Amino acid sequence: MHAHATFQSIYRQNSDLIIYNDLKDDPVVAAFLEICRLLGERYNCENGRAEALTTACRRFFRLLADYTELYQGPFTGDPWQNYLLDRIILAENTFTLKAGQIKWEFFSDALKDAVGQDLRHLQALAGMGSAAYNAALARLASSTATTYDADGATVFPGDQLSVPDWTKLKPLDPHQPLQPPQAVRKEIKEKLLAAADWGREGAKLLADYHHSWGTGIFGMYWAFRWEGGPAGGRLVGIDRPDPIRLSDLVGYEAERGEIIRNTEKFLKGLPAVNILLYGARGTGKSSTVKALLHAYGHLGLRLIELPKKYLGDYQEILKILAPRPQKFIIFVDDLSFEEGEAEYKELKFLLEGSLQVRPANVLVYATSNRRHLVKEFLSDRAPAADREVRLQDTVQEKLSLAERFGMTVIFLSPDQEQYLNIVEELARKEGLEMEAAELRRRALQWALYQNGTSGRTARQFVDYLRGELAQGEK
């Protein structure tokens, strides 16, 4: 059993961290520190503090349960350790941000010492989950003094609320397959728990992790969605992005090669251009962009989905991305503008034309079924008495949007033979056994009654066929 002085010391040390000081404001960490503070008082129960301790324990359990019971990430250690490790890895401070830029050996000795001191204190805090629970139970059980509730009524020990065991909390599914960023996060968490001294080994482990994978949400996620709001927008991490891989895509190798080469130049810091992927629906434009993430995420590529309605937030987004070492593709999917929509002007500024220069670590990839992006009417070219005098200027402004992309890659709708080749290749990849003539006959029949010949139609047909054949085997 830990003495009250141990909890008192841990509370004091972790309430005044130097580099990781923001952690004390986290609700779960603050709730646990409050338990340590109360356990650090020599006579807290005899002095009528039993109710305060019970309340603190129940609050901590409630907050930790909210995080743990629906947790789907890499779970490591006990519930309290897992939570605190996630917060440490997610932290953005002088140490983590600098680690994203330079290697550990180039840090100043002063910063190394400060980080080491903080991490030793946090290591002690991480190891106190079970000890704090057991100490709280023992302290409450030993309380024989009369205490009083908020209304002044007498509360006897047997009337006190129970303290649930937070060490028994369990995640939703700790064994589900992990995405690459999650697998790396699990590895660093396991190494930290195994480290004897976070101040020495742990500091370098974290520095190496942040240097390779990034800091804050850019280390925890590879894919993001921009969500606007009245108080300003924010990046939301996508835990399980579309699993499509470049190897899953069939056809359009030449078109896809152009995009891959541009992306690889971008990652190497060479000149690269914004790309408009234009073509018929179902030809794999969006899938191509999404698949880049799994091919190059480990090299620092990050993908940000930006809905058309939030294009006006681009300056806010660029401010967030500019100082980061990662490379970012802002992905605008299914882009087109109707008559009266003015967001296309915001996109023009993002591509080229704003006083704020687009950072070198940001590109824009957009997909569209419309070549010129902005809907144009015949009436735009036929002036009437109530229309603007210099109508051609309006026409040129609309047409110039697509021209601001450095490259346009065209995905033409496949003809019948190309469609059948895609079906055959997808069926081969899935290991489907069917006579070739029958496969082609059914594929054409499917296209006739579904969405026509396209890569998407081919994928949908093969998925349907997989289910049908699997059902027939049962």
Side-chain angles (χ1 to χ4, degrees):
M1 183 67 66
H2 291 271
H4 75 279
T6 301
F7 291 102
Q8 188 179 74
S9 175
I10 285 178
Y11 169 76
R12 185 177 63 253
Q13 291 169 348
N14 286 279
S15 294
D16 191 26
L17 299 172
I18 303 171
I19 304 299
Y20 284 88
N21 194 50
D22 288 348
L23 283 180
K24 75 177 189 303
D25 298 322
D26 177 89
V28 182
V29 176
F32 190 76
L33 287 175
E34 176 64 7
I35 294 173
C36 292
R37 185 187 72 79
L38 292 169
L39 291 174
E41 296 181 356
R42 185 184 295 272
Y43 301 112
N44 65 334
C45 287
E46 286 77 357
N47 292 336
R49 298 293 182 89
E51 185 181 0
L53 179 59
T54 302
T55 300
C57 289
R58 290 171 66 83
R59 171 175 168 76
F60 174 69
F61 178 91
R62 181 170 61 253
L63 292 172
L64 189 61
D66 287 345
Y67 186 79
T68 303
E69 288 293 318
L70 297 178
Y71 191 83
Q72 298 186 57
F75 194 87
T76 310
D78 64 40
W80 166 236
Q81 289 172 330
N82 183 68
Y83 182 86
L84 187 58
L85 285 169
D86 279 348
R87 299 280 73 74
I88 291 171
I89 292 172
L90 186 61
E92 290 203 295
N93 51 47
T94 303
F95 161 61
T96 63
L97 291 171
K98 191 162 188 175
Q101 303 287 339
I102 65 172
K103 293 186 176 182
W104 173 249
E105 50 263 35
F106 300 115
F107 276 54
S108 68
D109 290 338
L111 184 55
K112 285 183 177 180
D113 290 343
V115 170
Q117 184 183 125
D118 277 4
L119 288 174
R120 287 190 181 96
H121 296 330
L122 288 167
Q123 185 175 20
L125 187 67
M128 295 302 291
S130 295
Y133 175 70
N134 292 327
L137 288 185
R139 191 68 62 86
L140 292 170
S142 67
S143 175
T144 57
T146 300
T147 59
Y148 304 92
D149 63 18
D151 297 324
T154 302
V155 177
F156 296 99
D159 297 328
Q160 293 170 356
L161 294 171
S162 65
V163 176
D165 187 351
W166 56 72
T167 68
K168 304 298 186 194
L169 292 168
K170 292 184 179 180
L172 189 64
D173 183 5
H175 305 298
Q176 65 176 323
L178 299 176
Q179 295 291 320
Q182 295 175 320
V184 175
R185 198 157 80 244
K186 181 177 178 63
E187 181 182 0
I188 184 65
K189 287 162 69 173
E190 290 175 342
K191 286 181 177 179
L192 283 172
L193 281 185
D197 181 5
W198 285 11
R200 186 178 66 256
E201 304 164 59
K204 187 176 186 310
L205 282 171
L206 284 167
D208 291 345
Y209 167 81
H210 291 306
H211 188 72
S212 298
W213 297 97
T215 61
I217 61 173
F218 298 111
M220 295 189 76
Y221 304 100
W222 288 1
F224 304 86
R225 180 182 299 106
W226 179 261
E227 293 185 355
R234 65 186 184 116
L235 286 172
V236 178
I238 300 174
D239 224 4
R240 297 191 171 277
D242 190 324
I244 191 74
R245 301 300 201 265
L246 289 172
S247 58
D248 297 330
L249 301 173
V250 177
Y252 301 96
E253 283 77 13
E255 293 84 353
R256 199 166 292 116
E258 292 284 349
I259 298 162
I260 290 172
R261 284 189 289 274
N262 188 71
T263 304
E264 290 179 345
K265 288 192 293 182
F266 178 50
L267 290 170
K268 292 175 182 177
L270 300 173
V273 297
N274 303 312
I275 298 180
L276 172 64
L277 292 78
Y278 155 72
R281 56 189 174 87
T283 50
K285 303 182 298 298
S286 300
S287 294
T288 296
V289 178
K290 294 173 183 176
L292 294 173
L293 187 65
H294 301 289
Y296 302 107
H298 67 289
L299 298 179
L301 183 68
R302 302 293 182 264
L303 189 64
I304 298 175
E305 183 181 5
L306 177 60
K308 182 180 70 174
K309 62 182 177 180
Y310 297 132
L311 282 170
D313 293 344
Y314 78 93
Q315 291 190 4
E316 187 178 351
I317 298 171
L318 296 185
K319 287 178 183 178
I320 296 172
L321 305 184
R324 301 287 176 170
Q326 289 79 28
K327 304 291 186 180
F328 299 92
I329 291 177
I330 295 179
F331 177 40
V332 188
D333 196 18
D334 196 18
L335 182 64
S336 65
F337 299 97
E338 302 299 326
E339 180 71 12
E341 289 184 320
E343 288 89 348
Y344 75 91
K345 296 182 179 180
E346 303 291 354
L347 180 58
K348 289 175 67 174
F349 291 141
L350 174 58
L351 295 170
E352 178 188 340
S354 171
L355 287 176
Q356 180 178 348
V357 178
R358 177 171 47 82
N361 65 334
V362 177
L363 284 181
V364 179
Y365 285 7
T367 69
S368 180
N369 300 332
R370 185 178 293 166
R371 176 65 179 85
H372 292 297
L373 301 181
V374 183
K375 182 178 288 187
E376 186 185 5
F377 296 91
L378 287 175
S379 57
D380 289 339
R381 300 176 181 268
D386 59 345
R387 298 183 66 83
E388 63 177 288
V389 175
R390 302 191 182 277
L391 192 61
Q392 189 60 27
D393 291 348
T394 298
V395 174
Q396 291 303 316
E397 180 186 33
K398 290 182 175 182
L399 296 181
S400 69
L401 176 57
E403 297 171 0
R404 297 205 178 202
F405 287 91
M407 181 190 302
T408 297
V409 180
I410 302 175
F411 287 68
L412 297 175
S413 184
D415 59 27
Q416 179 174 295
E417 192 58 33
Q418 289 172 322
Y419 163 72
L420 290 173
N421 289 339
I422 294 173
V423 168
E424 290 173 347
E425 181 61 18
L426 289 174
R428 185 192 65 78
K429 285 176 174 286
E430 297 294 345
L432 300 183
E433 296 183 3
M434 178 175 285
E435 199 270 326
E438 177 65 9
L439 178 66
R440 291 168 69 89
R441 183 190 69 79
R442 294 194 57 180
L444 289 174
Q445 185 181 50
W446 179 272
L448 181 63
Y449 291 104
Q450 299 301 324
N451 301 309
T453 57
S454 72
R456 179 182 298 150
T457 302
R459 165 55 65 186
Q460 291 169 344
F461 168 66
V462 171
D463 287 344
Y464 173 82
L465 200 58
R466 283 174 56 206
E468 182 183 83
L469 294 175
Q471 187 177 39
E473 293 174 356
K474 293 182 179 179

